[in-house]
Amino acid sequence: MGKGRALSDGVIKKILLSYTYVAIWIFLSFTVIVYNKYILDKKLYNWPYPITLTMIHMGFCSSLAIVLIKVFKIVEPVSMSRETYLRSVVPIGALYSLSLWLSNSAYIYLSVSFIQMLKALMPVAVYSIGVLLKKESFKSRTMTNMLSISFGVAIAAYGEAKFDVWGVVLQLGAVAFEATRLVLIQILLTSKGINLNPITSLYYVAPCCFVFLSVPWIFVEFPVLRETSSFHFDFVIFGTNSVCAFALNLAVFLLVGKTSALTMNVAGVVKDWLLIAFSWSVIKDTVTPLNLFGYGLAFLGVGYYNHCKLQALKAKDAQKKVQAGDEEAGKLLEERESDVAGKRNESQD
């Protein structure tokens, strides 16, 4: 009874901790998205400079990551040569900067709810780019599911009350760049045994993003900021916004480290529904029945995709256990045979 109770208490504690990590991640992700929308929207804070905002985030995150790694030594930096950094990290940093720039720009033109619906295309983009780069194998069942997700998003887009073509182009571009980045992380880093957690990722990638973003910033936003005399730093707004952005990266580290990446994907679906509800009830964005119907179809497709990934992970773990068991059985058999051979030699002597 005592062991069973201790086991159940341990399981309950683990479940509660998992839900706590999920709740923290959802809250911070929710906060960053709504906060960015508030800053960039012309009807709210009215500061429509997405490149500048992204550079503030990257500068702040770079500084904190350097302090955490170099001063407080919370995590160890990854040993990486200059050649590896230039060939692997720099392309990922370029894609990340483009993804952040375009996704933040979309908040100027689109509602929070519609952006979340468009983000449902992420599995489609990741799988398609993975197949093109030969990281994923083509499966007709998976591609059919990807088409069903796309069809659902298309219905949601058709039902959007405040459809803006340029905003959709920006968000789809952000999805494409982010999907390419995720696939290249597997090809350029994971396949080489380089694993970066969110803190070391910021340590290596954020400075790179800052440099890449400074190029379009000089030509696109800096002249406008200089002419309108709007280039003033609101420490309260941009400071708290940057803290939230950095805290979100730490929450990702906790969530993926203590649970799994799949848990974060499932939690992301919950977060998207919460954001749609918030956008409709608080921000007063228009959400039509056709929006919800289309996103509902996409949601079912994403749910099925996550279910298939979970089953594949379980099958892979089971295969590893079988292989480990076979290896252990082989070692025991070898030891037994050597013992028998030793006893025979002793009897012959």
Side-chain angles (χ1 to χ4, degrees), residues 135-196:
K135 188 64 183 176
E136 294 275 357
S137 57
F138 179 84
K139 295 177 183 177
S140 56
R141 181 184 292 182
T142 305
M143 184 52 72
T144 302
N145 186 39
M146 297 298 110
L147 291 173
S148 71
I149 296 172
S150 304
F151 182 64
V153 173
I155 293 174
Y158 182 76
E160 175 60 21
K162 297 178 181 178
F163 186 89
D164 187 282
V165 175
W166 180 237
V168 171
V169 169
L170 288 170
Q171 185 56 48
L172 292 180
V175 168
F177 283 123
E178 178 63 11
T180 307
R181 183 184 77 90
L182 293 173
V183 175
L184 285 185
I185 284 174
Q186 294 180 333
I187 296 172
L188 298 177
L189 295 178
T190 309
S191 62
K192 297 178 181 178
I194 302 172
N195 294 311
L196 301 177

Short mmCIF file of all heavy atoms in Angstrom, two decimals, residues 135-196:
data_model
loop_
_atom_site.label_atom_id
_atom_site.label_comp_id
_atom_site.label_asym_id
_atom_site.label_seq_id
_atom_site.Cartn_x
_atom_site.Cartn_y
_atom_site.Cartn_z
N LYS A 135 14.56 15.31 -46.07
CA LYS A 135 14.64 15.02 -44.63
C LYS A 135 13.45 14.18 -44.19
O LYS A 135 13.53 13.45 -43.21
CB LYS A 135 14.69 16.34 -43.84
CG LYS A 135 14.98 16.18 -42.35
CD LYS A 135 16.35 15.60 -42.11
CE LYS A 135 16.60 15.36 -40.63
NZ LYS A 135 17.90 14.71 -40.38
N GLU A 136 12.35 14.29 -44.93
CA GLU A 136 11.14 13.51 -44.68
C GLU A 136 10.86 12.65 -45.90
O GLU A 136 11.15 13.04 -47.03
CB GLU A 136 9.94 14.44 -44.42
CG GLU A 136 10.03 15.26 -43.15
CD GLU A 136 9.55 14.50 -41.93
OE1 GLU A 136 9.10 13.36 -42.06
OE2 GLU A 136 9.64 15.07 -40.82
N SER A 137 10.29 11.47 -45.68
CA SER A 137 9.89 10.61 -46.79
C SER A 137 8.45 10.93 -47.18
O SER A 137 7.61 11.18 -46.30
CB SER A 137 10.02 9.14 -46.41
OG SER A 137 9.25 8.86 -45.25
N PHE A 138 8.17 10.93 -48.49
CA PHE A 138 6.82 11.26 -48.96
C PHE A 138 5.87 10.11 -48.64
O PHE A 138 6.13 8.95 -48.97
CB PHE A 138 6.83 11.52 -50.46
CG PHE A 138 5.47 11.84 -51.01
CD1 PHE A 138 4.97 13.13 -50.96
CD2 PHE A 138 4.68 10.84 -51.57
CE1 PHE A 138 3.72 13.43 -51.46
CE2 PHE A 138 3.42 11.13 -52.07
CZ PHE A 138 2.94 12.43 -52.01
N LYS A 139 4.76 10.45 -47.98
CA LYS A 139 3.71 9.47 -47.68
C LYS A 139 2.38 10.07 -48.11
O LYS A 139 2.03 11.18 -47.72
CB LYS A 139 3.68 9.15 -46.18
CG LYS A 139 4.93 8.45 -45.68
CD LYS A 139 4.87 8.22 -44.18
CE LYS A 139 6.16 7.57 -43.67
NZ LYS A 139 6.14 7.40 -42.20
N SER A 140 1.64 9.31 -48.92
CA SER A 140 0.39 9.83 -49.47
C SER A 140 -0.62 10.16 -48.38
O SER A 140 -1.35 11.14 -48.46
CB SER A 140 -0.21 8.82 -50.46
OG SER A 140 -0.41 7.57 -49.83
N ARG A 141 -0.65 9.34 -47.29
CA ARG A 141 -1.58 9.59 -46.20
C ARG A 141 -1.26 10.91 -45.50
O ARG A 141 -2.16 11.71 -45.20
CB ARG A 141 -1.54 8.44 -45.19
CG ARG A 141 -2.51 8.62 -44.02
CD ARG A 141 -2.37 7.51 -43.00
NE ARG A 141 -2.80 6.22 -43.54
CZ ARG A 141 -2.81 5.10 -42.82
NH1 ARG A 141 -2.38 5.11 -41.57
NH2 ARG A 141 -3.22 3.97 -43.37
N THR A 142 0.04 11.14 -45.25
CA THR A 142 0.45 12.38 -44.60
C THR A 142 0.16 13.58 -45.49
O THR A 142 -0.33 14.62 -45.02
CB THR A 142 1.95 12.34 -44.27
OG1 THR A 142 2.24 11.18 -43.49
CG2 THR A 142 2.38 13.58 -43.48
N MET A 143 0.43 13.46 -46.80
CA MET A 143 0.18 14.57 -47.71
C MET A 143 -1.32 14.87 -47.81
O MET A 143 -1.72 16.04 -47.91
CB MET A 143 0.75 14.25 -49.10
CG MET A 143 0.62 15.39 -50.09
SD MET A 143 1.27 16.99 -49.48
CE MET A 143 3.03 16.67 -49.51
N THR A 144 -2.16 13.83 -47.76
CA THR A 144 -3.61 14.04 -47.76
C THR A 144 -4.03 14.84 -46.53
O THR A 144 -4.87 15.74 -46.62
CB THR A 144 -4.35 12.69 -47.78
OG1 THR A 144 -3.94 11.95 -48.94
CG2 THR A 144 -5.86 12.89 -47.83
N ASN A 145 -3.43 14.50 -45.40
CA ASN A 145 -3.72 15.24 -44.17
C ASN A 145 -3.27 16.69 -44.29
O ASN A 145 -3.96 17.62 -43.84
CB ASN A 145 -3.04 14.57 -42.98
CG ASN A 145 -3.41 15.20 -41.66
OD1 ASN A 145 -4.55 15.59 -41.45
ND2 ASN A 145 -2.45 15.34 -40.77
N MET A 146 -2.08 16.91 -44.90
CA MET A 146 -1.58 18.27 -45.10
C MET A 146 -2.53 19.08 -45.99
O MET A 146 -2.78 20.27 -45.75
CB MET A 146 -0.19 18.24 -45.75
CG MET A 146 0.90 17.59 -44.92
SD MET A 146 1.23 18.41 -43.35
CE MET A 146 0.60 17.24 -42.19
N LEU A 147 -3.09 18.42 -47.01
CA LEU A 147 -4.04 19.10 -47.90
C LEU A 147 -5.32 19.45 -47.16
O LEU A 147 -5.92 20.51 -47.41
CB LEU A 147 -4.35 18.20 -49.12
CG LEU A 147 -3.20 18.01 -50.11
CD1 LEU A 147 -3.58 16.99 -51.17
CD2 LEU A 147 -2.84 19.34 -50.77
N SER A 148 -5.75 18.58 -46.24
CA SER A 148 -6.96 18.87 -45.45
C SER A 148 -6.74 20.08 -44.54
O SER A 148 -7.65 20.91 -44.38
CB SER A 148 -7.36 17.64 -44.63
OG SER A 148 -6.46 17.43 -43.56
N ILE A 149 -5.53 20.20 -43.96
CA ILE A 149 -5.19 21.37 -43.14
C ILE A 149 -5.23 22.63 -44.01
O ILE A 149 -5.81 23.66 -43.62
CB ILE A 149 -3.80 21.21 -42.48
CG1 ILE A 149 -3.81 20.03 -41.49
CG2 ILE A 149 -3.39 22.50 -41.77
CD1 ILE A 149 -2.43 19.69 -40.95
N SER A 150 -4.62 22.56 -45.18
CA SER A 150 -4.59 23.70 -46.11
C SER A 150 -6.00 24.10 -46.52
O SER A 150 -6.33 25.30 -46.62
CB SER A 150 -3.76 23.36 -47.34
OG SER A 150 -2.46 22.96 -46.98
N PHE A 151 -6.85 23.10 -46.78
CA PHE A 151 -8.23 23.37 -47.18
C PHE A 151 -8.98 24.08 -46.06
O PHE A 151 -9.73 25.04 -46.31
CB PHE A 151 -8.92 22.04 -47.52
CG PHE A 151 -10.34 22.19 -47.98
CD1 PHE A 151 -10.65 22.86 -49.16
CD2 PHE A 151 -11.39 21.67 -47.22
CE1 PHE A 151 -11.97 23.01 -49.58
CE2 PHE A 151 -12.71 21.81 -47.63
CZ PHE A 151 -12.99 22.49 -48.82
N GLY A 152 -8.77 23.65 -44.82
CA GLY A 152 -9.41 24.29 -43.66
C GLY A 152 -8.97 25.74 -43.51
O GLY A 152 -9.80 26.63 -43.27
N VAL A 153 -7.66 25.99 -43.68
CA VAL A 153 -7.14 27.36 -43.57
C VAL A 153 -7.68 28.22 -44.71
O VAL A 153 -8.00 29.41 -44.51
CB VAL A 153 -5.60 27.36 -43.57
CG1 VAL A 153 -5.06 28.79 -43.63
CG2 VAL A 153 -5.07 26.67 -42.32
N ALA A 154 -7.83 27.64 -45.91
CA ALA A 154 -8.38 28.38 -47.05
C ALA A 154 -9.82 28.81 -46.77
O ALA A 154 -10.22 29.94 -47.10
CB ALA A 154 -8.31 27.52 -48.31
N ILE A 155 -10.61 27.92 -46.17
CA ILE A 155 -11.99 28.27 -45.79
C ILE A 155 -11.99 29.39 -44.77
O ILE A 155 -12.78 30.34 -44.86
CB ILE A 155 -12.74 27.02 -45.26
CG1 ILE A 155 -12.94 26.00 -46.38
CG2 ILE A 155 -14.09 27.41 -44.65
CD1 ILE A 155 -13.55 24.68 -45.90
N ALA A 156 -11.10 29.28 -43.77
CA ALA A 156 -11.00 30.33 -42.73
C ALA A 156 -10.63 31.67 -43.36
O ALA A 156 -11.16 32.72 -42.97
CB ALA A 156 -9.97 29.93 -41.69
N ALA A 157 -9.72 31.64 -44.33
CA ALA A 157 -9.30 32.87 -45.01
C ALA A 157 -10.45 33.46 -45.83
O ALA A 157 -10.66 34.68 -45.85
CB ALA A 157 -8.10 32.59 -45.91
N TYR A 158 -11.21 32.58 -46.48
CA TYR A 158 -12.36 33.02 -47.28
C TYR A 158 -13.41 33.70 -46.40
O TYR A 158 -14.08 34.66 -46.81
CB TYR A 158 -12.98 31.83 -48.02
CG TYR A 158 -14.15 32.21 -48.90
CD1 TYR A 158 -13.95 32.83 -50.13
CD2 TYR A 158 -15.46 31.94 -48.50
CE1 TYR A 158 -15.01 33.18 -50.94
CE2 TYR A 158 -16.54 32.28 -49.30
CZ TYR A 158 -16.31 32.89 -50.53
OH TYR A 158 -17.38 33.24 -51.32
N GLY A 159 -13.53 33.22 -45.16
CA GLY A 159 -14.53 33.77 -44.25
C GLY A 159 -14.03 34.94 -43.42
O GLY A 159 -14.77 35.45 -42.57
N GLU A 160 -12.76 35.37 -43.64
CA GLU A 160 -12.20 36.47 -42.85
C GLU A 160 -12.87 37.79 -43.22
O GLU A 160 -12.91 38.19 -44.39
CB GLU A 160 -10.68 36.56 -43.09
CG GLU A 160 -10.00 37.73 -42.41
CD GLU A 160 -10.13 37.74 -40.90
OE1 GLU A 160 -10.40 36.67 -40.31
OE2 GLU A 160 -9.96 38.82 -40.31
N ALA A 161 -13.37 38.49 -42.21
CA ALA A 161 -14.10 39.76 -42.43
C ALA A 161 -13.16 40.89 -42.84
O ALA A 161 -13.53 41.74 -43.65
CB ALA A 161 -14.86 40.13 -41.15
N LYS A 162 -11.93 40.90 -42.28
CA LYS A 162 -10.97 41.97 -42.58
C LYS A 162 -9.75 41.39 -43.28
O LYS A 162 -8.63 41.52 -42.81
CB LYS A 162 -10.58 42.71 -41.29
CG LYS A 162 -11.76 43.40 -40.61
CD LYS A 162 -11.34 44.06 -39.31
CE LYS A 162 -12.52 44.73 -38.61
NZ LYS A 162 -12.12 45.33 -37.31
N PHE A 163 -10.00 40.75 -44.42
CA PHE A 163 -8.93 40.10 -45.18
C PHE A 163 -8.03 41.16 -45.82
O PHE A 163 -8.50 42.10 -46.45
CB PHE A 163 -9.54 39.21 -46.27
CG PHE A 163 -8.53 38.38 -47.02
CD1 PHE A 163 -8.18 37.13 -46.56
CD2 PHE A 163 -7.94 38.86 -48.17
CE1 PHE A 163 -7.24 36.36 -47.26
CE2 PHE A 163 -7.02 38.11 -48.86
CZ PHE A 163 -6.67 36.85 -48.40
N ASP A 164 -6.72 41.01 -45.62
CA ASP A 164 -5.74 41.91 -46.21
C ASP A 164 -4.68 41.08 -46.93
O ASP A 164 -3.98 40.27 -46.29
CB ASP A 164 -5.08 42.77 -45.12
CG ASP A 164 -4.18 43.85 -45.69
OD1 ASP A 164 -3.03 43.51 -46.09
OD2 ASP A 164 -4.60 45.01 -45.75
N VAL A 165 -4.58 41.26 -48.24
CA VAL A 165 -3.70 40.42 -49.06
C VAL A 165 -2.24 40.55 -48.61
O VAL A 165 -1.53 39.55 -48.45
CB VAL A 165 -3.82 40.80 -50.56
CG1 VAL A 165 -2.80 40.01 -51.39
CG2 VAL A 165 -5.23 40.52 -51.07
N TRP A 166 -1.78 41.79 -48.38
CA TRP A 166 -0.39 42.00 -47.99
C TRP A 166 -0.10 41.36 -46.63
O TRP A 166 0.96 40.77 -46.43
CB TRP A 166 -0.07 43.48 -47.98
CG TRP A 166 1.34 43.82 -47.60
CD1 TRP A 166 1.75 44.61 -46.60
CD2 TRP A 166 2.54 43.34 -48.24
NE1 TRP A 166 3.12 44.69 -46.54
CE2 TRP A 166 3.64 43.92 -47.56
CE3 TRP A 166 2.79 42.50 -49.32
CZ2 TRP A 166 4.95 43.67 -47.91
CZ3 TRP A 166 4.11 42.25 -49.68
CH2 TRP A 166 5.17 42.83 -48.98
N GLY A 167 -1.05 41.47 -45.71
CA GLY A 167 -0.88 40.85 -44.39
C GLY A 167 -0.77 39.34 -44.49
O GLY A 167 0.07 38.71 -43.82
N VAL A 168 -1.59 38.73 -45.36
CA VAL A 168 -1.55 37.27 -45.56
C VAL A 168 -0.22 36.86 -46.19
O VAL A 168 0.39 35.86 -45.79
CB VAL A 168 -2.73 36.80 -46.45
CG1 VAL A 168 -2.57 35.33 -46.84
CG2 VAL A 168 -4.06 37.01 -45.71
N VAL A 169 0.26 37.65 -47.16
CA VAL A 169 1.56 37.35 -47.80
C VAL A 169 2.67 37.39 -46.76
O VAL A 169 3.56 36.51 -46.74
CB VAL A 169 1.83 38.36 -48.94
CG1 VAL A 169 3.28 38.25 -49.43
CG2 VAL A 169 0.87 38.13 -50.10
N LEU A 170 2.64 38.39 -45.89
CA LEU A 170 3.65 38.51 -44.84
C LEU A 170 3.62 37.30 -43.90
O LEU A 170 4.67 36.72 -43.59
CB LEU A 170 3.44 39.79 -44.03
CG LEU A 170 3.77 41.12 -44.73
CD1 LEU A 170 3.28 42.29 -43.89
CD2 LEU A 170 5.27 41.23 -44.99
N GLN A 171 2.43 36.91 -43.45
CA GLN A 171 2.32 35.80 -42.50
C GLN A 171 2.70 34.47 -43.15
O GLN A 171 3.38 33.65 -42.53
CB GLN A 171 0.90 35.72 -41.94
CG GLN A 171 0.72 34.67 -40.85
CD GLN A 171 1.68 34.85 -39.69
OE1 GLN A 171 1.86 35.95 -39.18
NE2 GLN A 171 2.33 33.77 -39.29
N LEU A 172 2.29 34.26 -44.40
CA LEU A 172 2.67 33.02 -45.10
C LEU A 172 4.18 32.98 -45.33
O LEU A 172 4.80 31.91 -45.25
CB LEU A 172 1.92 32.91 -46.43
CG LEU A 172 0.41 32.69 -46.33
CD1 LEU A 172 -0.21 32.59 -47.72
CD2 LEU A 172 0.08 31.44 -45.53
N GLY A 173 4.77 34.13 -45.62
CA GLY A 173 6.23 34.20 -45.76
C GLY A 173 6.91 33.85 -44.45
O GLY A 173 7.92 33.12 -44.45
N ALA A 174 6.37 34.36 -43.34
CA ALA A 174 6.93 34.05 -42.02
C ALA A 174 6.85 32.56 -41.73
O ALA A 174 7.81 31.96 -41.21
CB ALA A 174 6.18 34.83 -40.93
N VAL A 175 5.72 31.93 -42.08
CA VAL A 175 5.56 30.48 -41.89
C VAL A 175 6.57 29.71 -42.72
O VAL A 175 7.21 28.76 -42.24
CB VAL A 175 4.12 30.04 -42.24
CG1 VAL A 175 4.01 28.52 -42.33
CG2 VAL A 175 3.12 30.58 -41.21
N ALA A 176 6.76 30.14 -43.97
CA ALA A 176 7.71 29.45 -44.87
C ALA A 176 9.14 29.56 -44.34
O ALA A 176 9.88 28.55 -44.31
CB ALA A 176 7.62 30.04 -46.27
N PHE A 177 9.56 30.75 -43.91
CA PHE A 177 10.92 30.93 -43.39
C PHE A 177 11.12 30.16 -42.08
O PHE A 177 12.18 29.56 -41.87
CB PHE A 177 11.21 32.41 -43.17
CG PHE A 177 11.51 33.16 -44.45
CD1 PHE A 177 10.75 34.27 -44.80
CD2 PHE A 177 12.53 32.75 -45.30
CE1 PHE A 177 11.02 34.96 -45.98
CE2 PHE A 177 12.81 33.43 -46.47
CZ PHE A 177 12.04 34.54 -46.81
N GLU A 178 10.11 30.17 -41.22
CA GLU A 178 10.22 29.46 -39.94
C GLU A 178 10.29 27.95 -40.17
O GLU A 178 11.07 27.25 -39.51
CB GLU A 178 9.03 29.80 -39.05
CG GLU A 178 9.01 29.10 -37.70
CD GLU A 178 10.19 29.46 -36.79
OE1 GLU A 178 10.93 30.42 -37.11
OE2 GLU A 178 10.36 28.77 -35.77
N ALA A 179 9.48 27.44 -41.10
CA ALA A 179 9.50 26.00 -41.41
C ALA A 179 10.86 25.59 -41.97
O ALA A 179 11.41 24.54 -41.60
CB ALA A 179 8.39 25.67 -42.40
N THR A 180 11.41 26.42 -42.87
CA THR A 180 12.73 26.14 -43.43
C THR A 180 13.79 26.13 -42.33
O THR A 180 14.70 25.29 -42.32
CB THR A 180 13.10 27.19 -44.50
OG1 THR A 180 12.05 27.27 -45.46
CG2 THR A 180 14.39 26.81 -45.21
N ARG A 181 13.67 27.07 -41.40
CA ARG A 181 14.61 27.14 -40.27
C ARG A 181 14.56 25.87 -39.44
O ARG A 181 15.61 25.31 -39.06
CB ARG A 181 14.30 28.36 -39.40
CG ARG A 181 15.27 28.56 -38.24
CD ARG A 181 14.83 29.72 -37.37
NE ARG A 181 13.72 29.37 -36.51
CZ ARG A 181 13.83 28.87 -35.28
NH1 ARG A 181 15.03 28.65 -34.75
NH2 ARG A 181 12.77 28.59 -34.57
N LEU A 182 13.35 25.39 -39.14
CA LEU A 182 13.20 24.18 -38.32
C LEU A 182 13.80 22.96 -39.00
O LEU A 182 14.43 22.12 -38.35
CB LEU A 182 11.71 23.94 -38.02
CG LEU A 182 11.04 24.98 -37.11
CD1 LEU A 182 9.54 24.72 -37.03
CD2 LEU A 182 11.66 24.97 -35.72
N VAL A 183 13.61 22.86 -40.32
CA VAL A 183 14.18 21.73 -41.07
C VAL A 183 15.71 21.84 -41.12
O VAL A 183 16.43 20.85 -40.94
CB VAL A 183 13.59 21.66 -42.50
CG1 VAL A 183 14.29 20.56 -43.31
CG2 VAL A 183 12.10 21.39 -42.44
N LEU A 184 16.22 23.06 -41.33
CA LEU A 184 17.67 23.25 -41.40
C LEU A 184 18.35 23.02 -40.05
O LEU A 184 19.52 22.62 -40.01
CB LEU A 184 18.01 24.65 -41.91
CG LEU A 184 17.82 24.90 -43.41
CD1 LEU A 184 18.29 26.29 -43.79
CD2 LEU A 184 18.57 23.85 -44.23
N ILE A 185 17.63 23.26 -38.96
CA ILE A 185 18.19 22.95 -37.64
C ILE A 185 18.51 21.46 -37.55
O ILE A 185 19.56 21.06 -37.04
CB ILE A 185 17.22 23.37 -36.52
CG1 ILE A 185 17.25 24.89 -36.34
CG2 ILE A 185 17.57 22.69 -35.19
CD1 ILE A 185 16.22 25.42 -35.37
N GLN A 186 17.61 20.63 -38.08
CA GLN A 186 17.84 19.18 -38.09
C GLN A 186 18.99 18.80 -39.00
O GLN A 186 19.80 17.95 -38.66
CB GLN A 186 16.56 18.45 -38.54
CG GLN A 186 15.40 18.59 -37.57
CD GLN A 186 14.17 17.86 -38.05
OE1 GLN A 186 13.96 17.67 -39.25
NE2 GLN A 186 13.33 17.43 -37.13
N ILE A 187 19.07 19.46 -40.14
CA ILE A 187 20.11 19.11 -41.13
C ILE A 187 21.48 19.65 -40.73
O ILE A 187 22.48 18.93 -40.78
CB ILE A 187 19.72 19.65 -42.53
CG1 ILE A 187 18.44 18.95 -43.02
CG2 ILE A 187 20.85 19.44 -43.54
CD1 ILE A 187 17.87 19.54 -44.31
N LEU A 188 21.53 20.93 -40.33
CA LEU A 188 22.82 21.59 -40.09
C LEU A 188 23.35 21.43 -38.67
O LEU A 188 24.56 21.51 -38.45
CB LEU A 188 22.70 23.09 -40.41
CG LEU A 188 22.34 23.45 -41.85
CD1 LEU A 188 22.19 24.96 -42.00
CD2 LEU A 188 23.39 22.93 -42.82
N LEU A 189 22.45 21.23 -37.70
CA LEU A 189 22.90 21.16 -36.30
C LEU A 189 22.69 19.79 -35.68
O LEU A 189 23.65 19.14 -35.24
CB LEU A 189 22.18 22.23 -35.47
CG LEU A 189 22.48 23.69 -35.83
CD1 LEU A 189 21.66 24.64 -34.96
CD2 LEU A 189 23.97 24.00 -35.66
N THR A 190 21.43 19.34 -35.61
CA THR A 190 21.12 18.08 -34.92
C THR A 190 21.86 16.89 -35.53
O THR A 190 22.36 16.03 -34.82
CB THR A 190 19.60 17.81 -34.95
OG1 THR A 190 18.91 18.98 -34.48
CG2 THR A 190 19.24 16.63 -34.07
N SER A 191 21.93 16.84 -36.87
CA SER A 191 22.61 15.73 -37.54
C SER A 191 24.11 15.71 -37.24
O SER A 191 24.76 14.68 -37.37
CB SER A 191 22.39 15.80 -39.05
OG SER A 191 22.94 16.99 -39.57
N LYS A 192 24.67 16.87 -36.84
CA LYS A 192 26.09 16.95 -36.49
C LYS A 192 26.33 16.80 -34.99
O LYS A 192 27.44 17.00 -34.51
CB LYS A 192 26.66 18.30 -36.96
CG LYS A 192 26.62 18.47 -38.48
CD LYS A 192 27.14 19.84 -38.89
CE LYS A 192 27.07 20.03 -40.40
NZ LYS A 192 27.52 21.38 -40.81
N GLY A 193 25.26 16.47 -34.25
CA GLY A 193 25.39 16.28 -32.81
C GLY A 193 25.43 17.57 -32.03
O GLY A 193 25.78 17.58 -30.85
N ILE A 194 25.04 18.71 -32.66
CA ILE A 194 25.01 20.01 -31.97
C ILE A 194 23.59 20.28 -31.50
O ILE A 194 22.69 20.48 -32.32
CB ILE A 194 25.48 21.14 -32.89
CG1 ILE A 194 26.90 20.87 -33.41
CG2 ILE A 194 25.43 22.49 -32.18
CD1 ILE A 194 27.37 21.82 -34.48
N ASN A 195 23.36 20.25 -30.21
CA ASN A 195 22.04 20.49 -29.65
C ASN A 195 22.05 21.80 -28.85
O ASN A 195 22.81 21.93 -27.89
CB ASN A 195 21.61 19.33 -28.74
CG ASN A 195 21.41 18.04 -29.52
OD1 ASN A 195 20.73 18.03 -30.53
ND2 ASN A 195 22.02 16.96 -29.04
N LEU A 196 21.23 22.74 -29.28
CA LEU A 196 21.15 24.05 -28.63
C LEU A 196 19.84 24.17 -27.87
O LEU A 196 18.77 24.00 -28.46
CB LEU A 196 21.25 25.17 -29.67
CG LEU A 196 22.51 25.22 -30.55
CD1 LEU A 196 22.40 26.35 -31.56
CD2 LEU A 196 23.76 25.40 -29.69
#
